[in-house]
Amino acid sequence: MIDIKITKAAEEKIHDLTTSGEVEQGTIRVATGCAACGGLSFALDFNTKKKPDDALVPHDKWEFAVGREVQELVENITIDYVENEFGGNFIIETAYGTSACWW
């Protein structure tokens, strides 16, 4: 079972992005890719369409899509948002590590 926890900071940023028109409202994809150091990186894709093999994880205000190929990797994740000297980024924590998704 996929469990997605969202911190207050991440919830506020997602709300800002989706209500400002910067991104389309709707499904948010939790995606993975290869990190430069050879590990996995995790990211959020706000302008996505549902795919037939997606697991859909409802949240109070949004729906998250997780592709079949990465479902085991994100069974229990926390999404946070932080501002720093480089701008803002989403931090995605999983059992396999932590990734930053720049925004």
Side-chain angles (χ1 to χ4, degrees):
M1 178 171 180
I2 299 170
D3 182 30
I4 298 175
K5 295 176 183 68
I6 304 174
T7 67
K8 182 75 170 159
E11 189 172 288
E12 289 172 358
K13 184 61 177 181
I14 293 170
H15 174 76
D16 290 348
L17 291 170
T18 57
T19 59
S20 71
E22 283 188 68
V23 299
E24 295 177 16
Q25 290 189 354
T27 302
I28 302 168
R29 179 168 302 284
V30 178
T32 63
C34 293
C37 60
L40 287 175
S41 66
F42 296 88
L44 300 179
D45 180 359
F46 288 89
N47 296 315
T48 190
K49 303 290 183 218
K50 298 175 199 171
K51 296 179 183 175
D53 62 347
D54 283 344
L56 299 176
V57 182
H59 185 266
D60 292 341
K61 300 172 183 135
W62 308 286
E63 178 178 66
F64 291 87
V66 181
R68 182 179 51 81
E69 69 280 0
V70 298
Q71 289 173 13
E72 291 179 14
L73 301 174
V74 296
E75 287 181 348
N76 186 13
I77 67 171
T78 300
I79 300 170
D80 194 8
Y81 182 80
V82 297
E83 296 272 345
N84 58 32
E85 64 272 13
F86 303 110
N89 58 24
F90 288 97
I91 305 294
I92 302 169
E93 296 180 30
T94 73
Y96 297 95
T98 301
S99 292
C101 178
W102 299 98
W103 192 262

